[in-house]
Structures are given as C-alpha cells and as structure tokens.
Amino acid sequence: MKKIVSIVLFILIICTMLNVNASAPASDVGVYANVKEQSSNKMVIEYGLLNFVEVEEGQAMVITMTLDYDTSVISSVQAQGIGNWSASFEEGTKRLVLETNSGKANTGVVQLTFNINQSATINSSNNKITLSDINISEGENLDKYDENHTFEI
C-alpha cells in the first residue's frame, strides 16, 4: 500500500512540474492613448504601442478594440493607420481592426478622429469616448487588456 501511495504521489509531482514548465513565457505589449487635438467639432486620439516584453519587434501584429461613444453626439469616426499600420473601422459594430506586417515598440498605430454633431446636446451621460475590449496578437500570444481608455468630449 505504501508503495502504491508513493508511486501515485511521484506521478502527481511529475505532472505538476510538467504543467508549470510547459506554460508559455509571459508576453506583454505596453500601450498608450492620448488626445492629440480637441475642439468643439472634433476630437483626435492617437493610440500606440510602448515597450515590448517577450515580444519580438518586426513581427506581424493585429490589434482589435471596441470604440464606445454616443451616436447622437459623434456623427462619424475616421480611423487612419500610422506608418505601416492599416486600420479598418466598422461603424455598425464600432469595432476597429489594426494590422501590420512589422510591429515596433514606441510607435503610434492609429489616429482616430471623432466628428462631433454640432446640434447635439452634450451632457455627463453622453460625453465620453471609450476604447475597450482591446486585444493584441503578435502571432503566438494574445494579450487582452482589462484597462479601458476613456476621454471626455
């Protein structure tokens, strides 16, 4: 009986060690979002990448996110890729997809222009733009960001 218990414990220890050693290295891509321009008729936000941890520069990358805003206040949104980034924005779903063949740290990725409806009544319940549900993939790992970026109009 002791021998069986010893064998079972040994197998459990080996399985635990294999599970820990087989896990992928942690990766991380730092991000930023800044207001570049703000006036009564538009707000321009730049979103970009900061430092890379366990991510190799020059790889293909994809970033997806949701832009949350009140459509009675924001009349339209333009997404312009920066550098070698392409941007695709679907106004119906408010989903933004960014792609590049060569991602680099410490660079801008997209410039978002939010055109403000001049006849809209802006108040505390509809005066925010939020970048949320942010996912970044560099081919091997997918980083999901719980932090949202919120801006007041």
Side-chain angles (χ1 to χ4, degrees):
M1 182 66 170
K2 280 185 173 182
K3 192 173 190 176
I4 293 174
V5 171
S6 296
I7 292 172
V8 170
L9 284 173
F10 178 76
I11 291 173
L12 286 173
I13 291 170
I14 295 297
C15 288
T16 304
M17 289 173 36
L18 289 175
N19 187 26
V20 171
N21 291 334
S23 65
S27 69
D28 190 26
V29 176
V31 297
Y32 70 88
N34 297 321
V35 174
K36 299 297 279 181
E37 180 184 340
Q38 186 169 4
S39 66
S40 62
N41 61 348
K42 72 178 175 179
M43 176 181 271
V44 179
I45 297 172
E46 181 177 295
Y47 185 84
L49 303 175
L50 293 172
N51 56 314
F52 287 4
V53 177
E54 296 293 330
V55 176
E56 191 175 314
E57 284 204 26
Q59 294 188 93
M61 297 181 82
V62 175
I63 301 173
T64 61
M65 68 180 75
T66 300
L67 308 181
D68 186 26
Y69 55 89
D70 190 310
T71 55
S72 69
V73 174
I74 303 298
S75 58
S76 65
V77 177
Q78 286 86 40
Q80 178 68 43
I82 298 173
N84 61 353
W85 285 87
S86 66
S88 173
F89 178 64
E90 173 58 46
E91 287 206 46
T93 61
K94 298 182 181 178
R95 218 44 203 151
L96 176 65
V97 177
L98 306 161
E99 299 175 291
T100 185
N101 288 326
S102 180
K104 292 184 174 64
N106 304 308
T107 58
V109 171
V110 67
Q111 182 171 293
L112 301 167
T113 302
F114 296 86
N115 296 302
I116 299 170
N117 182 352
Q118 295 302 296
S119 62
T121 302
I122 301 173
N123 56 49
S124 62
S125 68
N126 66 5
N127 71 338
K128 293 181 180 43
I129 296 171
T130 303
L131 313 181
S132 63
D133 191 25
I134 301 168
N135 297 298
I136 300 177
S137 174
E138 51 24 87
E140 293 182 20
N141 298 299
L142 176 67
D143 291 321
K144 295 183 178 195
Y145 290 85
D146 295 327
E147 179 183 342
N148 296 331
H149 300 278
T150 301
F151 305 91
E152 284 190 23
I153 299 169

